[in-house]
Amino acid sequence: MEQKRKATIVDVAKLAGVSVATVSRVVNANYPVKEETRTRVQDAIRELDYVPNVQARELNTRRSSTIGVVVPGLYNMFFAQVIDGIEDYLRQDAYSLLLNCAKNDPKQEMKCITALVSRNVSGIIVISPNTAHIKESFYTQLVRRTPLVFINAYHYIPDVSYVGNDEALGTQEALRHLMQLGHQRILFVRGANSDSYQIKEDTFRVVMRGRGIQPDKYIVNIGEGNSAETVDDTQQTLLGALPQTDATAVFCCNDLMGVGALNACKALNLRVPDDISIMGFDNIALARYVSPKLTTMDQNMFRLGSNAAQLLIERIENGPCKRITLDNVLVKRETTGRAPMRMEG
Amino acid sequence: MEQKRKATIVDVAKLAGVSVATVSRVVNANYPVKEETRTRVQDAIRELDYVPNVQARELNTRRSSTIGVVVPGLYNMFFAQVIDGIEDYLRQDAYSLLLNCAKNDPKQEMKCITALVSRNVSGIIVISPNTAHIKESFYTQLVRRTPLVFINAYHYIPDVSYVGNDEALGTQEALRHLMQLGHQRILFVRGANSDSYQIKEDTFRVVMRGRGIQPDKYIVNIGEGNSAETVDDTQQTLLGALPQTDATAVFCCNDLMGVGALNACKALNLRVPDDISIMGFDNIALARYVSPKLTTMDQNMFRLGSNAAQLLIERIENGPCKRITLDNVLVKRETTGRAPMRMEG
DNA sequence: CTGTTAGCGCCTTCAG
DNA sequence: CTGAAGGCGCTAACAG
């Protein structure tokens, strides 16, 4: 069966016996039209099942009501929840969302963005956990023609709006929570290739040194931190690391790792939080689903997303470039508790 | 800072001293162009940072390389993983993905679709778990102009392609697995408002009756099955139901419920799988993350997504309407085991 | 090989 | 209040 040709404004005009201009006017309701002709046009529209062609409209008004979103992938619910927030905000402003996954590959990321630009999006939101080998000139060039918002990126580029959490502060808060419970020695679990891990590690080092503890031997890197294997990889790594450490608590750079740590403890017959405490970071849905429920720092991804959408739209409408930093808030659940008594001596 | 006006094909033509047709030819590489002029044009393109306007191109060729995807939301990783599969396949065919969340609301769903049509997408993929109050005429009308693919929808509409799992068969398989382990009385946990739950329940009833067991008192409905609260809701419901049942196993319509059941067991101090077995359905990432790891029926969402994308593209290129049914495969993990000995008598 | 030209579907002055 | 006409950026004949 062949597709029916879509009706155009000309078809409607003909059927209604008016000019295309008039049809345009009733569709957009931007100029007065006599009641009677309006209904005639509307009848024709219904009859032909006419839907205006947004592409044509936008070509000629040189505006575009779609925005592009680039994420590394959907494996970590973190990104899904951010997208949820973006989508929700955009819907209210009648924007549409073009989604691209960059697979954690900077080259892919730039490709996605070019594709988005050629699709004439009116702005782009990028979540790029790793801005280390970011091609800065690419972005400075890009932003001259297309408004840009980064989420949680730690790489300053002029005129790029930004929304993120103060992860250094969040890390301090998390560490303080642990210390208030009496934990002195804390194992720091991070992944590879993400600015946010580095920021957290730096913070960790400072805090530990401030407590007179040499941090080096308390840091473990489990590799890729946002993949389908992150939980298992973390568990495997900690199965080796946990028995050798004298730490009484584990701080994980995200919840995937947190759950991996939890599973490692179970496998090792360590009671959580009685024998050892665990903290995650992000507060993805998973954190609530496991048992015991994971204590974590909430990044409120939904808000991250909706704020980013808001900034982008402001920028599109010639508002200023802004940089918003949100607070992480501690969500105490069931994996943190008082440090166990020292048995030695 | 104001945006730089984007360069057009005319700008490039002028700078290179050629006609727009020639520029078009080198951009699309579809007609021979003399080596020397080609490089001249390419230089101009680079100099002006020219990116072709896809909207204009597609307006003119009456094709469109974007397709629309409508999902209920991103809360259940199920949908995120399906999208992953779609995105991956589309990328290879240079299509882009316009994402819309319908929030489980049929009205919203139709709105999304209309928006997609007006954006001139060349096809639409819909995941709509609940086709009960589907407005059939809307879809029959729609499909006359835009190719359509349903994922996991149990509502036949002529000329709509479809890809899904045989959930009845999957349910049988799951039940058989449980029965082979010696379980006779099985609790069936479902949610509200989804065709797939109903299909599973019907299958459950038939199987149980076949075993001479009255199914009614073994069926529990936990309400909304794809929300952020599904896990907790299930846990709450089962906290009440589990102590009153003589079932030795629980079959859950999706993994969110499966994890909820698992948590309920923990809270009740029931050992899984020694005291009670639990089966999920879907095999979302979460199933592997919890501990003990959830035994479940794999729906292979990624494949669901990539197959849907493939069907859609075939249809767009005037291929036939197809209906594909994939198999669920049993993934034995750690939550199912032999039925406990009966203590009574 | 290259330039000219006529639209794609729509909006928007500019005249009635 | 309504119609005619130009043009958004690009492609696809059709002539050279």
Side-chain angles (χ1 to χ4, degrees), chain A residues 3-4 49 54-55 65 87 91 96-97 99 101 118-120 144-145 228 263 288-289, chain B residues 3-4 49 54-55 65 87 91 96-97 99 101 118-120 144-145 228 263 288-289:
Chain A
Q3 303 298 314
K4 186 174 63 172
D49 202 14
V54 176
Q55 286 189 265
S65 59
E87 209 267 350
R91 177 200 310 293
S96 286
L97 186 165
L99 179 69
C101 300
S118 77
R119 286 208 134 67
N120 200 26
R144 293 182 55 195
R145 57 156 60 151
N263 290 347
R288 288 204 324 268
Y289 294 163
Chain B
Q3 303 298 316
K4 186 172 62 171
D49 202 13
V54 176
Q55 286 189 264
S65 60
E87 209 268 350
R91 176 200 311 292
S96 285
L97 186 166
L99 180 69
C101 300
S118 76
R119 287 209 132 66
N120 200 25
R144 294 182 55 193
R145 56 159 58 151
N263 290 347
R288 290 204 322 270
Y289 294 164

mmCIF file of all heavy atoms in Angstrom, chain A residues 3-4 49 54-55 65 87 91 96-97 99 101 118-120 144-145 228 263 288-289, chain B residues 3-4 49 54-55 65 87 91 96-97 99 101 118-120 144-145 228 263 288-289:
data_model
loop_
_atom_site.group_PDB
_atom_site.id
_atom_site.type_symbol
_atom_site.label_atom_id
_atom_site.label_comp_id
_atom_site.label_asym_id
_atom_site.label_seq_id
_atom_site.Cartn_x
_atom_site.Cartn_y
_atom_site.Cartn_z
ATOM 1 N N GLN A 3 1.771 5.291 0.378
ATOM 2 C CA GLN A 3 1.422 6.363 1.293
ATOM 3 C C GLN A 3 0.592 7.414 0.576
ATOM 4 O O GLN A 3 0.833 7.729 -0.577
ATOM 5 C CB GLN A 3 2.695 7.016 1.820
ATOM 6 C CG GLN A 3 3.633 6.064 2.503
ATOM 7 C CD GLN A 3 2.993 5.435 3.717
ATOM 8 O OE1 GLN A 3 2.381 6.123 4.501
ATOM 9 N NE2 GLN A 3 3.122 4.129 3.866
ATOM 10 N N LYS A 4 -0.345 7.942 1.315
ATOM 11 C CA LYS A 4 -1.125 9.049 0.784
ATOM 12 C C LYS A 4 -0.248 10.304 0.792
ATOM 13 O O LYS A 4 0.472 10.553 1.751
ATOM 14 C CB LYS A 4 -2.343 9.274 1.678
ATOM 15 C CG LYS A 4 -3.311 10.303 1.143
ATOM 16 C CD LYS A 4 -4.542 10.350 2.017
ATOM 17 C CE LYS A 4 -4.239 10.777 3.442
ATOM 18 N NZ LYS A 4 -5.472 10.992 4.216
ATOM 19 N N ASP A 49 -7.243 16.503 6.421
ATOM 20 C CA ASP A 49 -6.352 16.037 7.462
ATOM 21 C C ASP A 49 -5.006 16.746 7.324
ATOM 22 O O ASP A 49 -3.954 16.132 7.383
ATOM 23 C CB ASP A 49 -6.171 14.522 7.317
ATOM 24 C CG ASP A 49 -5.731 13.906 8.612
ATOM 25 O OD1 ASP A 49 -5.826 14.575 9.641
ATOM 26 O OD2 ASP A 49 -5.255 12.755 8.567
ATOM 27 N N VAL A 54 6.277 21.735 9.456
ATOM 28 C CA VAL A 54 7.135 22.562 10.296
ATOM 29 C C VAL A 54 8.458 22.879 9.606
ATOM 30 O O VAL A 54 8.999 23.973 9.742
ATOM 31 C CB VAL A 54 7.403 21.874 11.643
ATOM 32 C CG1 VAL A 54 8.364 22.693 12.476
ATOM 33 C CG2 VAL A 54 6.095 21.680 12.388
ATOM 34 N N GLN A 55 8.958 21.925 8.868
ATOM 35 C CA GLN A 55 10.240 22.168 8.187
ATOM 36 C C GLN A 55 10.155 23.385 7.279
ATOM 37 O O GLN A 55 11.016 24.258 7.296
ATOM 38 C CB GLN A 55 10.606 20.957 7.323
ATOM 39 C CG GLN A 55 11.080 19.782 8.108
ATOM 40 C CD GLN A 55 11.634 18.711 7.191
ATOM 41 O OE1 GLN A 55 10.932 17.785 6.805
ATOM 42 N NE2 GLN A 55 12.894 18.844 6.829
ATOM 43 N N SER A 65 12.395 24.944 16.169
ATOM 44 C CA SER A 65 11.891 24.634 17.501
ATOM 45 C C SER A 65 12.355 23.256 17.939
ATOM 46 O O SER A 65 11.710 22.606 18.734
ATOM 47 C CB SER A 65 10.366 24.713 17.519
ATOM 48 O OG SER A 65 9.839 23.797 16.591
ATOM 49 N N GLU A 87 13.263 16.842 28.636
ATOM 50 C CA GLU A 87 12.071 16.622 27.824
ATOM 51 C C GLU A 87 10.867 17.311 28.447
ATOM 52 O O GLU A 87 10.075 17.957 27.773
ATOM 53 C CB GLU A 87 11.822 15.107 27.724
ATOM 54 C CG GLU A 87 11.124 14.664 26.465
ATOM 55 C CD GLU A 87 9.630 14.587 26.634
ATOM 56 O OE1 GLU A 87 9.132 14.695 27.778
ATOM 57 O OE2 GLU A 87 8.953 14.437 25.617
ATOM 58 N N ARG A 91 8.838 20.316 26.496
ATOM 59 C CA ARG A 91 7.475 20.112 26.064
ATOM 60 C C ARG A 91 6.647 21.373 26.311
ATOM 61 O O ARG A 91 5.859 21.786 25.478
ATOM 62 C CB ARG A 91 6.861 18.942 26.820
ATOM 63 C CG ARG A 91 5.399 18.719 26.478
ATOM 64 C CD ARG A 91 4.706 17.916 27.557
ATOM 65 N NE ARG A 91 5.451 16.725 27.881
ATOM 66 C CZ ARG A 91 5.634 15.711 27.078
ATOM 67 N NH1 ARG A 91 5.116 15.743 25.887
ATOM 68 N NH2 ARG A 91 6.329 14.673 27.455
ATOM 69 N N SER A 96 11.046 20.388 20.452
ATOM 70 C CA SER A 96 11.233 18.954 20.355
ATOM 71 C C SER A 96 12.679 18.595 20.604
ATOM 72 O O SER A 96 13.577 19.432 20.503
ATOM 73 C CB SER A 96 10.826 18.447 18.975
ATOM 74 O OG SER A 96 9.440 18.444 18.869
ATOM 75 N N LEU A 97 12.879 17.332 20.908
ATOM 76 C CA LEU A 97 14.183 16.897 21.356
ATOM 77 C C LEU A 97 14.785 15.863 20.404
ATOM 78 O O LEU A 97 14.226 14.791 20.205
ATOM 79 C CB LEU A 97 14.002 16.302 22.760
ATOM 80 C CG LEU A 97 15.201 15.870 23.570
ATOM 81 C CD1 LEU A 97 14.757 15.671 25.011
ATOM 82 C CD2 LEU A 97 15.826 14.610 23.038
ATOM 83 N N LEU A 99 17.675 13.338 19.948
ATOM 84 C CA LEU A 99 18.596 12.654 20.856
ATOM 85 C C LEU A 99 19.750 11.954 20.133
ATOM 86 O O LEU A 99 19.547 11.270 19.142
ATOM 87 C CB LEU A 99 17.824 11.601 21.657
ATOM 88 C CG LEU A 99 18.650 10.780 22.648
ATOM 89 C CD1 LEU A 99 19.108 11.653 23.796
ATOM 90 C CD2 LEU A 99 17.866 9.589 23.150
ATOM 91 N N CYS A 101 23.411 9.636 20.991
ATOM 92 C CA CYS A 101 24.303 9.001 21.946
ATOM 93 C C CYS A 101 25.725 9.007 21.395
ATOM 94 O O CYS A 101 25.960 8.558 20.274
ATOM 95 C CB CYS A 101 23.875 7.569 22.226
ATOM 96 S SG CYS A 101 22.213 7.432 22.900
ATOM 97 N N SER A 118 23.498 20.671 11.381
ATOM 98 C CA SER A 118 22.985 20.625 10.015
ATOM 99 C C SER A 118 21.480 20.422 10.013
ATOM 100 O O SER A 118 20.797 20.741 9.059
ATOM 101 C CB SER A 118 23.683 19.530 9.222
ATOM 102 O OG SER A 118 23.162 18.283 9.578
ATOM 103 N N ARG A 119 20.979 19.874 11.090
ATOM 104 C CA ARG A 119 19.527 19.751 11.200
ATOM 105 C C ARG A 119 18.922 21.042 11.688
ATOM 106 O O ARG A 119 17.751 21.129 11.956
ATOM 107 C CB ARG A 119 19.171 18.629 12.178
ATOM 108 C CG ARG A 119 19.389 17.271 11.614
ATOM 109 C CD ARG A 119 18.467 16.260 12.242
ATOM 110 N NE ARG A 119 17.868 15.436 11.226
ATOM 111 C CZ ARG A 119 18.542 14.585 10.473
ATOM 112 N NH1 ARG A 119 19.843 14.463 10.608
ATOM 113 N NH2 ARG A 119 17.934 13.883 9.565
ATOM 114 N N ASN A 120 19.791 22.019 11.872
ATOM 115 C CA ASN A 120 19.312 23.349 12.193
ATOM 116 C C ASN A 120 18.622 23.439 13.554
ATOM 117 O O ASN A 120 17.650 24.164 13.710
ATOM 118 C CB ASN A 120 18.345 23.799 11.093
ATOM 119 C CG ASN A 120 18.188 25.295 11.066
ATOM 120 O OD1 ASN A 120 19.081 26.023 11.490
ATOM 121 N ND2 ASN A 120 17.049 25.752 10.588
ATOM 122 N N ARG A 144 29.474 30.101 18.386
ATOM 123 C CA ARG A 144 29.259 31.378 17.706
ATOM 124 C C ARG A 144 27.992 31.337 16.876
ATOM 125 O O ARG A 144 27.465 32.342 16.467
ATOM 126 C CB ARG A 144 30.455 31.700 16.822
ATOM 127 C CG ARG A 144 31.710 31.971 17.660
ATOM 128 C CD ARG A 144 32.872 32.342 16.804
ATOM 129 N NE ARG A 144 32.555 33.473 15.935
ATOM 130 C CZ ARG A 144 33.286 33.821 14.899
ATOM 131 N NH1 ARG A 144 34.368 33.143 14.596
ATOM 132 N NH2 ARG A 144 32.942 34.856 14.157
ATOM 133 N N ARG A 145 27.530 30.148 16.608
ATOM 134 C CA ARG A 145 26.327 30.067 15.785
ATOM 135 C C ARG A 145 25.190 29.320 16.453
ATOM 136 O O ARG A 145 24.043 29.459 16.073
ATOM 137 C CB ARG A 145 26.663 29.379 14.470
ATOM 138 C CG ARG A 145 27.261 28.003 14.672
ATOM 139 C CD ARG A 145 27.039 27.180 13.454
ATOM 140 N NE ARG A 145 27.681 27.801 12.286
ATOM 141 C CZ ARG A 145 28.142 27.114 11.262
ATOM 142 N NH1 ARG A 145 28.018 25.807 11.268
ATOM 143 N NH2 ARG A 145 28.703 27.697 10.253
ATOM 144 N N ALA A 228 27.514 -0.970 31.220
ATOM 145 C CA ALA A 228 26.666 -2.032 31.726
ATOM 146 C C ALA A 228 27.430 -2.897 32.727
ATOM 147 O O ALA A 228 26.837 -3.580 33.548
ATOM 148 C CB ALA A 228 26.163 -2.889 30.574
ATOM 149 N N ASN A 263 27.477 -5.279 46.759
ATOM 150 C CA ASN A 263 27.490 -6.684 46.379
ATOM 151 C C ASN A 263 28.794 -7.372 46.799
ATOM 152 O O ASN A 263 28.791 -8.532 47.206
ATOM 153 C CB ASN A 263 27.279 -6.826 44.876
ATOM 154 C CG ASN A 263 25.862 -6.454 44.472
ATOM 155 O OD1 ASN A 263 24.981 -6.324 45.323
ATOM 156 N ND2 ASN A 263 25.640 -6.254 43.189
ATOM 157 N N ARG A 288 17.683 3.314 45.457
ATOM 158 C CA ARG A 288 16.552 2.989 46.328
ATOM 159 C C ARG A 288 16.121 1.541 46.176
ATOM 160 O O ARG A 288 15.416 0.993 47.022
ATOM 161 C CB ARG A 288 15.338 3.856 45.960
ATOM 162 C CG ARG A 288 15.437 5.277 46.340
ATOM 163 C CD ARG A 288 14.024 5.854 46.468
ATOM 164 N NE ARG A 288 13.119 5.299 45.480
ATOM 165 C CZ ARG A 288 12.881 5.815 44.286
ATOM 166 N NH1 ARG A 288 13.494 6.916 43.930
ATOM 167 N NH2 ARG A 288 12.044 5.233 43.453
ATOM 168 N N TYR A 289 16.477 0.946 45.038
ATOM 169 C CA TYR A 289 15.964 -0.384 44.735
ATOM 170 C C TYR A 289 16.733 -1.484 45.438
ATOM 171 O O TYR A 289 16.216 -2.562 45.693
ATOM 172 C CB TYR A 289 16.016 -0.632 43.232
ATOM 173 C CG TYR A 289 15.087 0.244 42.429
ATOM 174 C CD1 TYR A 289 15.254 0.389 41.064
ATOM 175 C CD2 TYR A 289 14.034 0.926 43.044
ATOM 176 C CE1 TYR A 289 14.397 1.191 40.316
ATOM 177 C CE2 TYR A 289 13.186 1.734 42.306
ATOM 178 C CZ TYR A 289 13.369 1.854 40.945
ATOM 179 O OH TYR A 289 12.521 2.641 40.208
ATOM 180 N N GLN B 3 24.653 35.806 17.611
ATOM 181 C CA GLN B 3 25.013 34.649 16.804
ATOM 182 C C GLN B 3 25.465 35.080 15.415
ATOM 183 O O GLN B 3 24.922 35.975 14.817
ATOM 184 C CB GLN B 3 23.796 33.720 16.659
ATOM 185 C CG GLN B 3 23.230 33.265 17.983
ATOM 186 C CD GLN B 3 24.228 32.452 18.783
ATOM 187 O OE1 GLN B 3 24.891 31.592 18.245
ATOM 188 N NE2 GLN B 3 24.357 32.741 20.066
ATOM 189 N N LYS B 4 26.447 34.378 14.931
ATOM 190 C CA LYS B 4 26.902 34.596 13.561
ATOM 191 C C LYS B 4 25.859 34.001 12.614
ATOM 192 O O LYS B 4 25.350 32.920 12.860
ATOM 193 C CB LYS B 4 28.236 33.871 13.359
ATOM 194 C CG LYS B 4 28.868 34.145 12.013
ATOM 195 C CD LYS B 4 30.266 33.557 11.954
ATOM 196 C CE LYS B 4 30.220 32.035 12.118
ATOM 197 N NZ LYS B 4 31.529 31.409 11.849
ATOM 198 N N ASP B 49 32.884 27.824 7.131
ATOM 199 C CA ASP B 49 32.347 26.889 8.100
ATOM 200 C C ASP B 49 30.915 26.526 7.722
ATOM 201 O O ASP B 49 30.010 26.508 8.555
ATOM 202 C CB ASP B 49 32.369 27.537 9.478
ATOM 203 C CG ASP B 49 32.351 26.492 10.560
ATOM 204 O OD1 ASP B 49 32.571 25.310 10.245
ATOM 205 O OD2 ASP B 49 32.093 26.853 11.717
ATOM 206 N N VAL B 54 19.825 20.828 6.401
ATOM 207 C CA VAL B 54 19.080 19.607 6.098
ATOM 208 C C VAL B 54 17.593 19.893 5.892
ATOM 209 O O VAL B 54 16.933 19.292 5.062
ATOM 210 C CB VAL B 54 19.255 18.570 7.229
ATOM 211 C CG1 VAL B 54 18.393 17.348 6.963
ATOM 212 C CG2 VAL B 54 20.705 18.169 7.336
ATOM 213 N N GLN B 55 17.075 20.829 6.651
ATOM 214 C CA GLN B 55 15.658 21.160 6.510
ATOM 215 C C GLN B 55 15.338 21.558 5.075
ATOM 216 O O GLN B 55 14.372 21.088 4.487
ATOM 217 C CB GLN B 55 15.298 22.323 7.432
ATOM 218 C CG GLN B 55 15.216 21.941 8.876
ATOM 219 C CD GLN B 55 14.639 23.078 9.695
ATOM 220 O OE1 GLN B 55 15.381 23.853 10.270
ATOM 221 N NE2 GLN B 55 13.328 23.180 9.741
ATOM 222 N N SER B 65 14.974 12.485 7.023
ATOM 223 C CA SER B 65 15.835 11.473 7.609
ATOM 224 C C SER B 65 15.722 11.472 9.121
ATOM 225 O O SER B 65 16.637 11.093 9.822
ATOM 226 C CB SER B 65 17.277 11.687 7.187
ATOM 227 O OG SER B 65 17.701 12.953 7.618
ATOM 228 N N GLU B 87 18.434 3.784 18.532
ATOM 229 C CA GLU B 87 19.428 4.804 18.204
ATOM 230 C C GLU B 87 20.602 4.189 17.475
ATOM 231 O O GLU B 87 21.106 4.723 16.486
ATOM 232 C CB GLU B 87 19.889 5.486 19.501
ATOM 233 C CG GLU B 87 20.328 6.915 19.361
ATOM 234 C CD GLU B 87 21.820 7.041 19.115
ATOM 235 O OE1 GLU B 87 22.559 6.039 19.243
ATOM 236 O OE2 GLU B 87 22.254 8.146 18.781
ATOM 237 N N ARG B 91 21.583 5.262 13.612
ATOM 238 C CA ARG B 91 22.818 5.969 13.360
ATOM 239 C C ARG B 91 23.469 5.444 12.083
ATOM 240 O O ARG B 91 23.961 6.196 11.249
ATOM 241 C CB ARG B 91 23.781 5.794 14.528
ATOM 242 C CG ARG B 91 25.137 6.438 14.293
ATOM 243 C CD ARG B 91 26.205 5.860 15.206
ATOM 244 N NE ARG B 91 25.762 5.830 16.591
ATOM 245 C CZ ARG B 91 25.563 6.911 17.312
ATOM 246 N NH1 ARG B 91 25.801 8.086 16.781
ATOM 247 N NH2 ARG B 91 25.154 6.809 18.543
ATOM 248 N N SER B 96 18.042 10.435 12.220
ATOM 249 C CA SER B 96 18.076 11.003 13.561
ATOM 250 C C SER B 96 16.803 10.669 14.309
ATOM 251 O O SER B 96 15.805 10.312 13.707
ATOM 252 C CB SER B 96 18.229 12.518 13.496
ATOM 253 O OG SER B 96 19.539 12.845 13.149
ATOM 254 N N LEU B 97 16.892 10.801 15.605
ATOM 255 C CA LEU B 97 15.814 10.328 16.461
ATOM 256 C C LEU B 97 15.181 11.463 17.253
ATOM 257 O O LEU B 97 15.837 12.118 18.053
ATOM 258 C CB LEU B 97 16.414 9.276 17.398
ATOM 259 C CG LEU B 97 15.529 8.474 18.327
ATOM 260 C CD1 LEU B 97 16.318 7.296 18.857
ATOM 261 C CD2 LEU B 97 15.026 9.311 19.468
ATOM 262 N N LEU B 99 12.740 12.300 20.127
ATOM 263 C CA LEU B 99 12.192 11.553 21.250
ATOM 264 C C LEU B 99 11.030 12.266 21.941
ATOM 265 O O LEU B 99 11.103 13.457 22.218
ATOM 266 C CB LEU B 99 13.293 11.310 22.286
ATOM 267 C CG LEU B 99 12.876 10.537 23.527
ATOM 268 C CD1 LEU B 99 12.579 9.097 23.176
ATOM 269 C CD2 LEU B 99 13.953 10.623 24.588
ATOM 270 N N CYS B 101 8.135 11.693 25.232
ATOM 271 C CA CYS B 101 7.614 10.879 26.320
ATOM 272 C C CYS B 101 6.128 11.158 26.491
ATOM 273 O O CYS B 101 5.713 12.303 26.621
ATOM 274 C CB CYS B 101 8.340 11.195 27.628
ATOM 275 S SG CYS B 101 10.108 10.903 27.550
ATOM 276 N N SER B 118 3.927 16.622 12.071
ATOM 277 C CA SER B 118 4.106 17.977 11.559
ATOM 278 C C SER B 118 5.586 18.302 11.390
ATOM 279 O O SER B 118 5.963 19.164 10.622
ATOM 280 C CB SER B 118 3.445 18.992 12.492
ATOM 281 O OG SER B 118 4.234 19.175 13.630
ATOM 282 N N ARG B 119 6.407 17.594 12.124
ATOM 283 C CA ARG B 119 7.843 17.773 11.930
ATOM 284 C C ARG B 119 8.315 16.953 10.737
ATOM 285 O O ARG B 119 9.490 16.860 10.461
ATOM 286 C CB ARG B 119 8.610 17.332 13.172
ATOM 287 C CG ARG B 119 8.469 18.263 14.307
ATOM 288 C CD ARG B 119 9.697 18.217 15.202
ATOM 289 N NE ARG B 119 10.134 19.576 15.491
ATOM 290 C CZ ARG B 119 9.446 20.433 16.192
ATOM 291 N NH1 ARG B 119 8.293 20.110 16.668
ATOM 292 N NH2 ARG B 119 9.908 21.632 16.402
ATOM 293 N N ASN B 120 7.369 16.310 10.110
ATOM 294 C CA ASN B 120 7.679 15.613 8.872
ATOM 295 C C ASN B 120 8.643 14.444 9.055
ATOM 296 O O ASN B 120 9.502 14.200 8.214
ATOM 297 C CB ASN B 120 8.272 16.617 7.869
ATOM 298 C CG ASN B 120 8.177 16.118 6.463
ATOM 299 O OD1 ASN B 120 7.315 15.292 6.145
ATOM 300 N ND2 ASN B 120 9.067 16.590 5.620
ATOM 301 N N ARG B 144 -1.752 5.839 7.007
ATOM 302 C CA ARG B 144 -1.914 6.055 5.577
ATOM 303 C C ARG B 144 -0.887 7.046 5.056
ATOM 304 O O ARG B 144 -0.652 7.139 3.857
ATOM 305 C CB ARG B 144 -3.327 6.563 5.280
ATOM 306 C CG ARG B 144 -4.370 5.485 5.599
ATOM 307 C CD ARG B 144 -5.758 5.943 5.264
ATOM 308 N NE ARG B 144 -5.846 6.381 3.876
ATOM 309 C CZ ARG B 144 -6.866 7.060 3.386
ATOM 310 N NH1 ARG B 144 -7.856 7.393 4.174
ATOM 311 N NH2 ARG B 144 -6.875 7.421 2.122
ATOM 312 N N ARG B 145 -0.314 7.793 5.935
ATOM 313 C CA ARG B 145 0.662 8.774 5.470
ATOM 314 C C ARG B 145 2.034 8.586 6.101
ATOM 315 O O ARG B 145 3.016 9.068 5.587
ATOM 316 C CB ARG B 145 0.170 10.179 5.784
ATOM 317 C CG ARG B 145 -0.129 10.379 7.251
ATOM 318 C CD ARG B 145 -0.118 11.830 7.615
ATOM 319 N NE ARG B 145 -1.095 12.572 6.824
ATOM 320 C CZ ARG B 145 -1.686 13.669 7.264
ATOM 321 N NH1 ARG B 145 -1.378 14.129 8.467
ATOM 322 N NH2 ARG B 145 -2.546 14.318 6.530
ATOM 323 N N ALA B 228 8.439 5.265 39.117
ATOM 324 C CA ALA B 228 9.552 5.318 40.050
ATOM 325 C C ALA B 228 9.218 4.570 41.334
ATOM 326 O O ALA B 228 10.099 4.149 42.064
ATOM 327 C CB ALA B 228 9.878 6.776 40.365
ATOM 328 N N ASN B 263 12.919 -7.509 47.865
ATOM 329 C CA ASN B 263 13.063 -6.674 49.047
ATOM 330 C C ASN B 263 12.036 -7.039 50.118
ATOM 331 O O ASN B 263 12.340 -7.016 51.321
ATOM 332 C CB ASN B 263 12.938 -5.200 48.661
ATOM 333 C CG ASN B 263 14.127 -4.728 47.852
ATOM 334 O OD1 ASN B 263 15.152 -5.412 47.782
ATOM 335 N ND2 ASN B 263 14.015 -3.573 47.221
ATOM 336 N N ARG B 288 20.534 -7.678 37.209
ATOM 337 C CA ARG B 288 21.875 -8.169 37.502
ATOM 338 C C ARG B 288 22.504 -7.447 38.676
ATOM 339 O O ARG B 288 23.479 -7.896 39.263
ATOM 340 C CB ARG B 288 22.801 -7.951 36.299
ATOM 341 C CG ARG B 288 22.534 -8.802 35.110
ATOM 342 C CD ARG B 288 23.825 -8.924 34.294
ATOM 343 N NE ARG B 288 24.548 -7.665 34.283
ATOM 344 C CZ ARG B 288 24.376 -6.711 33.365
ATOM 345 N NH1 ARG B 288 23.519 -6.884 32.411
ATOM 346 N NH2 ARG B 288 25.081 -5.606 33.428
ATOM 347 N N TYR B 289 21.987 -6.258 38.961
ATOM 348 C CA TYR B 289 22.632 -5.423 39.969
ATOM 349 C C TYR B 289 22.264 -5.807 41.374
ATOM 350 O O TYR B 289 23.008 -5.559 42.314
ATOM 351 C CB TYR B 289 22.266 -3.949 39.740
ATOM 352 C CG TYR B 289 22.799 -3.364 38.458
ATOM 353 C CD1 TYR B 289 22.300 -2.181 37.943
ATOM 354 C CD2 TYR B 289 23.829 -4.009 37.753
ATOM 355 C CE1 TYR B 289 22.799 -1.642 36.769
ATOM 356 C CE2 TYR B 289 24.330 -3.473 36.581
ATOM 357 C CZ TYR B 289 23.804 -2.296 36.093
ATOM 358 O OH TYR B 289 24.296 -1.758 34.939
#
